[in-house]
Amino acid sequence: GDSGGTQASGGSWKKGQQCDGCGGGMRCLKQWLGSNSSSGYLPWDAISVNFGLHDLGGSGPVREVPIDQYRKNMAAIFAELNQTGAELIFAATTPVPANYPPGSRTEKNVVAYNAAAKEIAQSLGNVAISDLHGAIVAACPKTYPADGHCSALQWPKGVHFVHAGRVLCGQQVSTAIVSALARRAARLAP
């Protein structure tokens, strides 16, 4: 799924509204990051983002965001996130099984959009990649995602996960965040 975001409210954190794809993320980013009147954004140690599935649209022929616009949006998002000084992580979009309803949300397009985001992240040199896509594919049978069957992790004919799939994604993201925090500590050490 895509980033739901959080917002600051009197020093506490609460779930914000989901902003769908990266275009919506760009509209919500300043709210998610919070502001500090003296220095711009609130201080962040690590930020993990994922945009992709909503950018592909759903079932039907029209993509919500064409890949060239997705590239521009992701570059703008990473540029804005860079202003926080945080360690940045792109969580690769999870697979779309072959038995998902027909439309633009396909595994082929997920792979293309992930490659576009990874290319931008790598060109910046300071955005780590958390390969959620690879973790899910590796944990499923060898025939997945081509046959669409990974019931141990994913709902049938869908892109959402059962409990075990959510746990696996959570572990992957947590590991990436812990690594990012270690990089930050090493970078800031005297």
Side-chain angles (χ1 to χ4, degrees):
D2 293 338
S3 301
T6 55
Q7 63 183 23
S9 175
S12 63
W13 299 97
K14 64 181 180 179
K15 181 82 169 140
Q17 79 179 52
Q18 186 175 24
C19 288
D20 297 318
C22 60
M26 289 173 48
R27 289 188 298 277
C28 295
L29 200 55
K30 290 180 190 297
Q31 176 188 3
W32 290 343
L33 295 174
S35 65
N36 177 334
S37 59
S38 64
S39 63
Y41 292 124
L42 293 175
W44 291 86
D45 294 322
I47 299 172
S48 177
V49 295
N50 163 259
F51 293 101
L53 281 180
H54 287 229
D55 296 295
L56 293 172
S59 52
V62 179
R63 286 189 184 143
E64 190 170 305
V65 177
I67 195 163
D68 289 338
Q69 186 62 49
Y70 176 78
R71 279 188 185 95
K72 290 175 187 172
N73 291 352
M74 290 305 298
I77 287 169
F78 288 138
E80 198 72 25
L81 293 175
N82 267 326
Q83 294 180 38
T84 67
E87 297 294 322
L88 304 179
I89 305 160
F90 173 72
T93 298
T94 54
V96 172
N99 62 5
Y100 189 74
S104 59
R105 192 180 278 181
T106 65
E107 179 62 7
K108 179 181 173 186
N109 287 337
V110 167
V111 170
Y113 279 56
N114 276 342
K118 288 176 183 179
E119 179 183 310
I120 293 162
Q122 290 167 343
S123 74
L124 294 171
N126 68 331
V127 182
I129 305 297
S130 176
D131 192 5
L132 289 176
H133 184 276
I136 295 297
V137 170
C140 288
K142 291 181 193 258
T143 55
Y144 176 85
D147 70 1
H149 298 292
C150 188
S151 60
L153 299 179
Q154 202 169 32
W155 290 106
K157 298 182 181 180
V159 294
H160 296 103
F161 294 96
V162 299
H163 179 75
R166 292 189 307 270
V167 167
L168 178 62
C169 287
Q171 290 169 336
Q172 181 78 20
V173 171
S174 297
T175 298
I177 291 170
V178 168
S179 294
L181 293 173
R183 284 192 309 276
R184 180 176 177 79
R187 180 171 52 90
L188 297 177

